[in-house]
């Protein structure tokens, strides 16, 4: 079965950096657009970043543009999220997701598979 497993979350001070990874199995990774979403307590799930199948197109949510970078390694079936200049408002559970369509979109409902999430906490 399809599995997406996130790692790399943790506690970091404001201004710091973290790198999240999402390892995929059970699917042909290079045929899926990948996305990162996040959800803070009491808030709706929010689109963070997306990357096309080949990695040539990326798309970011407004709140993270210029601070976060999404990338992928199709040989390793892994997508990454480099997070720099972290702010307390970035605190959330971060999820990766896979979409079989070849268009990067920010709507969570189009994604077919989801990971369990990894907690990121940014202290002030």
């Amino acid at each position: 079965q399809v599995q997406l497993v996130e790692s790399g979350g943790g506690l970091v001070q404001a201004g710091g950096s973290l790198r999240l990874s999402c390892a995929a199995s059970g699917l042909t990774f290079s045929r899926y657009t990948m996305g990162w979403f996040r959800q803070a307590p009491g808030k709706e799930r929010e689109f963070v970043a997306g990357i096309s199948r080949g990695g040539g197109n990326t798309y970011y949510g407004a709140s993270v543009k210029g601070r976060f970078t999404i990338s992928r390694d199709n040989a390793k079936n892994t997508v990454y999220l480099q997070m720099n200049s972290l702010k307390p408002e970035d605190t959330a559970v971060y999820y990766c997701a896979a979409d079989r369509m070849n268009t990067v979109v920010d709507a969570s409902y189009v994604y077919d598979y989801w990971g369990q999430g990894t907690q990121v906490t940014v202290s002030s």
Side-chain angles (χ1 to χ4, degrees):
Q1 72 276 21
V2 175
Q3 281 194 313
L4 301 177
V5 180
E6 302 96 336
S7 61
L11 174 64
V12 64
Q13 288 189 332
S17 298
L18 281 175
R19 187 195 197 203
L20 305 184
S21 299
C22 171
S25 61
L27 52 73
T28 304
F29 183 72
S30 61
R31 294 183 181 176
Y32 283 78
T33 294
M34 298 300 295
W36 284 98
F37 290 78
R38 66 186 182 186
Q39 189 164 20
K43 294 189 177 181
E44 292 187 355
R45 191 163 294 191
E46 174 189 16
F47 174 78
V48 175
I51 188 166
S52 60
R53 293 171 177 175
N57 292 316
T58 57
Y59 179 40
Y60 296 92
S63 61
V64 307
K65 193 174 294 185
R67 299 187 297 124
F68 291 10
T69 302
I70 189 171
S71 62
R72 67 188 295 162
D73 185 338
N74 285 350
K76 296 183 178 180
N77 289 359
T78 302
V79 61
Y80 305 97
L81 185 68
Q82 177 66 43
M83 306 186 295
N84 298 329
S85 302
L86 283 161
K87 305 174 181 180
E89 51 263 45
D90 294 318
T91 295
V93 177
Y94 283 71
Y95 300 90
C96 71
D99 172 18
R100 62 171 58 92
M101 300 301 291
N102 193 27
T103 302
V104 181
V105 295
D106 59 6
S108 61
Y109 67 85
V110 306
Y111 286 79
D112 302 291
Y113 303 106
W114 292 83
Q116 298 280 3
T118 186
Q119 176 71 47
V120 172
T121 303
V122 184
S123 64
S124 57

